[in-house]
Amino acid sequence: MIIGSLNDTERIEILNPHFKKIFDYLKSHDLQSLPLGKTEIDGDRAWLNVSEVEGKTEALAEMETHDQYIDIQLPLEGAETFGWQSRGELTHEAGSGYDVVKDITFYADRAVVFFTLSEGQFCIFFPEDGHVPCIGTGKIKKIVVKVKI
């Protein structure tokens, strides 16, 4: 997991061949005016989704992991709290296991670390990172960038 600011991405951009293109896109567009839904950055290798979600309590928000994509998550309106737990420590899958189409597995496990981001900040979750998004109150407008591994 990485937590950072859009003002300081240079060292992070070298970690993945798509990161520079993604951060250049995020810095050069008016993120508030992006339409809800999917916007392609580099075909199925890198794309973003703008959504508005109702914030959840820690108890109701679900732990998740992804196998095929890295998540870069940025709140646009409203603070968003995230939970984190190492995937290697997760033991209680919820539901029917890994969903290949949505690239997601949900867990009943609880997070061990929590942090809150506001506009201009981001977090990156790799497949090794169990994460709990969308914790907060009221409406949270956010971007989730999906980066193919």
Side-chain angles (χ1 to χ4, degrees):
M1 176 184 66
I2 296 173
I3 300 170
S5 167
L6 286 178
N7 295 325
D8 186 22
T9 62
E10 188 174 329
R11 286 190 273 177
I12 296 166
E13 292 171 1
I14 64 171
L15 298 177
N16 180 286
H18 302 293
F19 281 3
K20 178 159 179 35
K21 186 173 192 172
I22 291 164
F23 284 114
D24 285 349
Y25 183 94
L26 293 171
K27 292 178 201 179
S28 65
H29 286 76
D30 178 6
L31 302 180
Q32 295 293 341
S33 67
L34 290 174
L36 294 177
K38 184 176 179 178
T39 300
E40 287 189 11
I41 298 172
D42 190 11
D44 72 340
R45 293 175 296 280
W47 50 273
L48 65 82
N49 186 59
V50 179
S51 63
E52 292 180 348
V53 298
E54 194 63 33
K56 301 175 185 175
T57 64
E58 288 179 16
L60 293 179
E62 292 183 276
M63 177 75 67
E64 61 187 58
T65 61
H66 310 288
D67 292 352
Q68 301 299 315
Y69 285 88
I70 297 166
D71 274 6
I72 302 174
Q73 300 203 22
L74 308 86
L76 292 177
E77 292 175 9
E80 181 177 4
T81 298
F82 297 84
W84 176 89
Q85 170 73 337
S86 170
R87 185 180 198 157
E89 301 293 318
L90 299 175
T91 59
H92 300 95
E93 281 190 17
S96 58
Y98 180 65
D99 182 327
V100 176
V101 174
K102 295 181 180 179
D103 184 40
I104 195 164
T105 303
F106 289 105
Y107 297 84
D109 299 80
R110 305 313 312 159
V112 294
V113 174
F114 292 91
F115 59 93
T116 301
L117 300 181
S118 56
E119 185 180 342
Q121 299 174 323
F122 65 88
C123 56
I124 302 175
F125 296 115
F126 296 90
E128 299 81 14
D129 298 312
H131 55 284
V132 182
C134 304
I135 301 171
T137 56
K139 181 182 78 168
I140 300 170
K141 185 175 182 183
K142 67 183 292 180
I143 292 176
V144 177
V145 181
K146 298 299 235 175
V147 183
K148 184 83 169 165
I149 296 175

